[in-house]
Amino acid sequence: MNKKIMIVYKSVTGFTKEYAEMIAKEMNCSLIDFKNVTVQMMSNVDIVIFGSRMHAGTVDGLKKARKLFMQSKASQFIVFATGAMPNEEKDTINEMWKNNFSSAKLQDIPHFYMQSGLRYERMPFSDKMMMKVFCMMMKKKKNKDEKEQYFADIITKSYDISSKSYIMPLIEFLKT
């Protein structure tokens, strides 16, 4: 077991947990649910990788995870986020990162995005309602371009666009 790396994940619908498990298996390292992690646990490793969902433009739980990391003796903090946005939407994804990190932190904290999908059946009620409103707004929007129409169609139901291949940039980073 790679005792230098710990993956801490916060997962609501299961996508982040699945990616965290893939990364832990690939790197042969420890894996822990965010609700169970402590500063002491983080202090026992060199690298803490925090994974969570992008939710309303922010990485869910990032501030608390970073605070725990800062109190620990670990030396590096890495973030990965999952979401329904396809990886090709680089401008949108970059804007989401800017919502989560200052310019300096964007340079200092390695961060990775992994497309996943939507699982309405596992979403909290408030998230389902928010998505329902968003779906209605997209449906009512006139003169949608091709990309907007595709997005409006796909978000009406659960879907999975996750793939093990999306962990590879993070794995390659860790191996260098």
Side-chain angles (χ1 to χ4, degrees):
M1 164 120 8
N2 186 339
K3 296 184 187 297
K4 296 171 79 173
I5 301 172
M6 170 190 285
I7 299 170
V8 178
Y9 68 89
K10 183 174 184 185
S11 191
V12 174
T13 63
F15 287 114
T16 304
K17 181 180 180 185
E18 290 167 11
Y19 276 125
E21 289 170 343
M22 286 183 224
I23 297 163
K25 183 176 180 185
E26 192 73 25
M27 295 306 298
N28 191 29
C29 64
S30 62
L31 173 71
I32 188 157
D33 191 311
F34 182 57
K35 59 186 161 215
N36 298 322
V37 75
T38 65
V39 171
Q40 178 61 38
M41 289 173 170
M42 286 186 179
S43 293
N44 291 330
V45 298
D46 295 326
I47 301 169
V48 174
I49 302 170
F50 176 69
S52 189
R53 66 182 177 154
M54 277 287 185
H55 183 255
T58 61
V59 180
D60 191 18
L62 178 60
K63 286 182 182 177
K64 185 176 177 188
R66 183 147 163 62
K67 183 177 178 185
L68 289 170
F69 166 77
M70 295 300 289
Q71 295 171 356
S72 78
K73 294 177 185 166
S75 58
Q76 187 172 28
F77 187 65
I78 299 171
V79 176
F80 77 89
T82 62
M85 185 69 57
N87 285 345
E88 295 78 31
E89 297 298 323
K90 295 198 183 310
D91 290 341
T92 304
I93 293 165
N94 286 335
E95 280 302 311
M96 289 190 294
W97 286 121
K98 287 177 186 175
N99 289 339
N100 289 274
F101 295 115
S102 66
S103 297
K105 296 287 183 241
L106 273 172
Q107 300 298 317
D108 294 343
I109 299 175
H111 51 280
F112 301 85
Y113 179 78
M114 300 166 195
Q115 69 182 27
S116 54
L118 291 171
R119 289 184 175 144
Y120 284 104
E121 62 279 3
R122 294 187 187 176
M123 272 186 200
F125 180 75
S126 59
D127 289 353
K128 284 182 194 178
M129 291 300 103
M130 182 176 72
M131 286 303 297
K132 190 172 200 155
V133 169
F134 185 66
C135 287
M136 287 177 10
M137 287 172 38
M138 286 298 293
K139 187 176 183 178
K140 289 180 180 181
K141 183 178 181 198
K142 302 212 185 301
N143 303 318
K144 289 187 275 291
D145 64 26
E146 187 176 320
K147 196 183 290 188
E148 290 172 322
Q149 185 59 54
Y150 171 76
F151 190 64
D153 292 341
I154 196 169
I155 64 171
T156 61
K157 58 188 178 303
S158 294
Y159 65 94
D160 184 346
I161 53 175
S162 61
S163 168
K164 184 178 179 184
S165 66
Y166 301 134
I167 71 168
M168 296 320 291
L170 174 53
I171 298 302
E172 290 168 14
F173 176 83
L174 291 168
K175 289 184 176 181
T176 58

